């Protein structure tokens, strides 16, 4: 009998849908790489697109291929060399393809039986990454869904290890006010993690930054003392590698020493820039990361894979088993502790994706050097762009770029408007113009344009064109 469920699971139907989609994506990739004129972010407001899809949803007919094409057309084009906005990678197609394998097999990963191959591959990938950082014999870790979850995982482990009271089992002690120190440039997920753990606003002790927008390590002692005087129990300190807004790397080595001397947990947020470890030219930026008690790296930022895939590494893997020590008996079935292969015991997730496959496939297919090439060329390009800006009389940099994130602003000749207004207007004009996708940020109350060079094919010439587009917004006064 023809069950209605035959169709969704029909192998022939799967082929019929899959092959054209691969063609569509390959053509799309080729259009992007050839810089075929297309709006990088197709201009459309939320209401418009909502109306479109509401109407589409009510239509009788459906053409899967047409649907895929419309989604491609309406999306922001991360693979276009003029995409220089937020920090997500243009995934290497092989990584995206392997993600499909993972989605298809859908092994849930909570326990070994629910993901035998991917569990073993995850351990290989984690050990490889920990070796890259030189974290030592006892290191280990897990993959988790994103840097925000990764930062929370690291800080939960910190609390278990340092706070001298088992909050996980017994709840917070009356009057105990835990806190973490981190630079005022930190990603908001650190503050969010502190709030999720019930530490509130005061649970984050902000370290002021120096002129390079790095944590000012001469202030650590001061900050710490002030926090203690305010009745806080500081248990951890976080180093940025690098910060999100401006790409500044903190002095991890100095922070590690400070952490050791005060018995604090040292967590490194390397979501974006931890991948510098792969570059001989830039790995000095993460010097000190090997001393971290916990460290995160987002593979979906500077390592060419689709979101979300984050490594949480521990210098002493045992901490990774304490983080979520509560027993979900039906899953873990009373077995002895420290079974590395039962993932859910160690992660925020119960079910999670088979994240390790795409990383493994990329490394084996193309070799380790792709990560180094990718990072080094993108960081180099940022430096070259900064040099170009320095030669432009009407553009300015707030700070030298340390990574592939560059902030800059424009002061049009003869301008009389406040520069913040001018640069916010430029960002809006760039959105309307849609040849480039650029974002903006505030540094010391000033508005700057901000680019992140995520695309492997963006060139200095593209960036020169960007400056010309910006200049053309302001015709020279007659
Ligand atoms: C992106 C980012 C995060 C958050 O990571 P998600 O994967 O987006 O959750 C945390 N810290 C830094 C420094 C980041 O750049």
């Amino acid at each position: 009998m023809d069950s209605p469920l035959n169709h969704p699971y029909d192998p022939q139907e799967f082929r019929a849908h899959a092959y054209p989609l691969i063609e569509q994506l390959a053509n799309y990739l080729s259009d992007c790489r050839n810089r075929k004129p297309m709006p990088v972010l197709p201009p459309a407001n939320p209401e418009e697109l909502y109306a479109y899809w509401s109407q589409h949803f009510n239509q009788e007919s459906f053409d899967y291929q047409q649907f895929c094409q419309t989604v491609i057309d309406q999306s922001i084009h991360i693979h276009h060399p003029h995409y220089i906005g937020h920090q997500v990678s243009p995934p290497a197609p092989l990584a995206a393809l392997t993600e499909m394998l993972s989605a298809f097999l859908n092994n849930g990963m909570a326990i070994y039986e629910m993901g035998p191959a991917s569990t073993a591959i995850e351990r290989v990938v984690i050990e490889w990454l920990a070796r890259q950082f030189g974290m030592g014999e006892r290191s280990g870790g897990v993959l988790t869904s994103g840097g925000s979850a990764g930062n929370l995982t690291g800080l939960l482990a910190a609390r278990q290890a340092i706070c001298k009271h088992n909050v996980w089992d017994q709840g917070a002690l009356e009057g105990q006010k835990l806190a973490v120190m981190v630079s005022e440039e930190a990603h908001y997920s650190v503050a969010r993690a502190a709030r999720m753990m019930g530490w509130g606003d005061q649970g984050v002790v902000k370290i002021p930054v120096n002129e390079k927008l790095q944590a000012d390590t001469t202030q650590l002692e001061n900050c710490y003392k002030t926090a203690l005087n305010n009745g806080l129990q500081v248990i951890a300190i976080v180093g940025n590698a690098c910060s999100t807004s401006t790409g500044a790397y903190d002095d991890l080595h100095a922070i590690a020493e400070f952490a050791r001397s005060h018995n604090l947990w040292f967590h490194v947020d390397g979501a974006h820039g931890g991948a510098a470890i792969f570059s001989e030219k830039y790995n000095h930026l993460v010097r000190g990361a090997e001393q971290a008690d916990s460290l995160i790296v987002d593979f979906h930022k500077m390592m060419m894979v689709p979101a979300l895939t984050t490594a949480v590494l521990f210098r002493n893997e045992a901490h990774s088993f304490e983080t979520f020590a509560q027993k979900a008996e039906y899953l873990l079935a009373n077995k002895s502790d420290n079974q590395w292969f039962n993932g859910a015991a160690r992660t925020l997730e119960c079910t999670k994706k088979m994240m390790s496959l795409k990383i493994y496939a990329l490394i084996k297919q193309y070799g380790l050097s792709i990560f180094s090439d990718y990072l080094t060329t993108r960081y180099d390009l940022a430096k070259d762009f900064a040099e170009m800006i320095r030669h432009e009389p009407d553009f300015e940099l707030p700070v030298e770029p340390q990574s592939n994130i560059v902030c800059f602003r424009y002061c049009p000749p003869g301008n009389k408007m406040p520069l913040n207004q001018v640069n916010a207007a430029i960002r809006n004009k760039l959105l309307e113009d849609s040849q480039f996708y650029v974002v903006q940020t505030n540094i010391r109350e000033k508005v700057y344009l901000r680019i992140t060079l995520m695309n492997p094919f963006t060139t200095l010439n593209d960036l020169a064109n960007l400056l010309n587009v910006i200049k053309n917004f302001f015709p020279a006064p007659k």
Side-chain angles (χ1 to χ4, degrees):
M1 213 181 70
D2 190 27
S3 150
L5 293 180
N6 282 343
H7 281 287
Y9 291 94
D10 180 45
Q12 208 43 45
E13 211 157 305
F14 174 56
R15 285 191 187 95
H17 287 134
Y19 291 136
L21 177 58
I22 300 291
E23 268 310 303
Q24 273 174 306
L25 288 172
N27 290 335
Y28 169 65
L29 181 64
S30 153
D31 287 347
C32 285
R33 287 203 53 182
N34 294 326
R35 295 178 171 67
K36 185 177 163 191
M38 63 171 94
V40 178
L41 171 61
N45 68 42
E47 296 303 334
E48 254 173 77
L49 284 193
Y50 172 58
Y52 174 90
W53 287 105
S54 301
Q55 196 265 338
H56 185 274
F57 192 63
N58 291 322
Q59 282 169 12
E60 284 282 309
S61 64
F62 179 67
D63 177 336
Y64 179 68
Q65 228 179 305
Q66 188 55 50
F67 162 74
C68 294
Q69 194 57 51
T70 307
V71 170
I72 293 172
D73 294 343
Q74 291 183 356
S75 293
I76 185 162
H77 302 308
I78 312 280
H79 284 87
H80 196 288
H82 289 180
Y83 173 90
I84 44 178
H86 293 290
Q87 300 151 271
V88 292
S89 70
L94 186 77
L97 197 60
T98 312
E99 175 95 11
M100 197 210 69
L101 171 68
S102 157
F104 199 111
L105 297 177
N106 206 26
N107 281 206
M109 300 290 292
I111 53 170
Y112 173 66
E113 293 161 21
M114 289 307 296
S118 49
T119 298
I121 294 173
E122 174 168 325
R123 187 151 177 94
V124 172
V125 167
I126 286 285
E127 285 178 347
W128 158 78
L129 188 65
R131 266 198 312 278
Q132 297 293 315
F133 278 97
M135 292 185 87
E137 288 293 297
R138 292 152 76 201
S139 61
V142 291
L143 293 177
T144 193
S145 305
S148 305
N151 280 334
L152 176 62
T153 305
L155 292 174
L156 282 168
R159 187 175 66 177
Q160 285 296 84
I162 306 287
C163 96
K164 300 194 179 86
H165 164 70
N166 188 348
V167 183
W168 188 255
D169 280 337
Q170 292 159 19
L173 279 182
E174 184 79 35
Q176 186 172 38
K177 295 194 281 184
L178 303 179
V180 54
M181 283 171 68
V182 66
S183 111
E184 56 193 15
E185 288 287 312
H187 189 265
Y188 73 84
S189 57
V190 173
R192 184 173 284 185
R195 285 166 192 261
M196 282 195 273
M197 289 187 287
W199 304 355
D201 183 36
Q202 57 176 359
V204 176
V205 175
K206 287 190 180 156
I207 308 162
V209 291
N210 62 23
E211 74 288 351
K212 293 177 174 169
L213 303 169
Q214 306 159 312
D216 183 349
T217 50
T218 66
Q219 300 280 331
L220 295 178
E221 206 62 58
N222 248 343
C223 279
Y224 183 69
K225 288 222 177 79
T226 310
L228 296 193
N229 288 338
N230 291 336
L232 294 168
Q233 182 186 349
V234 179
I235 61 165
I237 183 164
V238 177
N240 293 318
C242 51
S243 68
T244 301
S245 172
T246 62
Y249 281 85
D250 292 342
D251 180 345
L252 301 180
H253 186 68
I255 295 176
E257 288 204 328
F258 177 82
R260 200 164 31 241
S261 67
H262 292 81
N263 193 29
L264 305 180
W265 184 274
F266 175 35
H267 176 77
V268 171
D269 182 353
H272 180 86
I277 194 68
F278 294 100
S279 165
E280 257 182 53
K281 183 166 178 187
Y282 292 107
N283 63 14
H284 65 92
L285 293 168
V286 288
R287 191 180 71 98
E290 71 285 351
Q291 300 169 67
D293 293 295
S294 55
L295 175 159
I296 68 158
V297 178
D298 276 358
F299 285 89
H300 56 277
K301 300 262 179 75
M302 290 303 289
M303 293 186 71
M304 304 158 69
V305 312
L308 290 168
T309 309
T310 298
V312 189
L313 301 179
F314 294 90
R315 193 153 46 85
N316 178 356
E317 188 177 26
H319 290 299
S320 157
F321 295 96
E322 293 163 12
T323 316
F324 303 100
Q326 148 218 24
K327 291 220 167 34
E329 297 287 352
Y330 65 97
L331 284 176
L332 305 172
N334 271 333
K335 305 240 175 66
S336 62
D337 288 346
N338 294 9
Q339 292 181 331
W340 61 267
F341 42 82
N342 289 326
R346 309 164 67 192
T347 53
L348 198 59
E349 298 99 327
C350 176
T351 307
K352 79 174 184 191
K353 284 205 194 181
M354 305 160 81
M355 302 177 192
S356 57
L357 309 188
K358 55 197 169 185
I359 304 163
Y360 189 89
L362 261 194
I363 296 171
K364 294 300 289 177
Q365 182 68 41
Y366 300 111
L368 264 192
S369 59
I370 54 164
F371 298 126
S372 156
D373 290 345
Y374 175 59
L375 190 123
T376 307
T377 62
R378 299 308 81 198
Y379 279 35
D380 281 349
L381 181 60
K383 292 211 173 345
D384 294 345
F385 180 54
E387 184 63 22
M388 188 158 88
I389 297 261
R390 264 193 301 275
H391 288 92
E392 290 276 349
D394 303 319
F395 284 89
E396 67 181 42
L397 296 163
V399 62
E400 283 300 309
Q402 296 174 39
S403 66
N404 57 334
I405 300 170
V406 190
C407 302
F408 64 100
R409 65 182 194 160
Y410 185 47
C411 175
N415 167 62
K416 302 217 166 51
M417 259 168 39
L419 282 184
N420 280 0
Q421 228 169 299
V422 170
N423 284 275
I426 291 174
R427 148 84 174 150
N428 287 332
K429 282 171 189 278
L430 285 169
L431 279 180
E432 279 166 36
D433 177 78
S434 76
Q435 285 184 74
F436 287 89
Y437 182 72
V438 168
V439 297
Q440 79 179 45
T441 192
N442 289 358
I443 304 170
R444 303 191 183 106
E445 266 111 67
K446 292 182 177 176
V447 173
Y448 288 89
L449 301 167
R450 172 176 173 275
I451 64 172
T452 310
L453 300 163
M454 301 302 287
N455 194 289
F457 304 106
T458 305
T459 62
L460 198 55
N461 190 44
D462 289 317
L463 301 176
N465 289 339
L466 168 65
L467 295 189
N468 284 334
V469 168
I470 293 172
K471 287 179 199 166
N472 288 336
F473 290 152
F474 301 88
K478 300 248 161 57

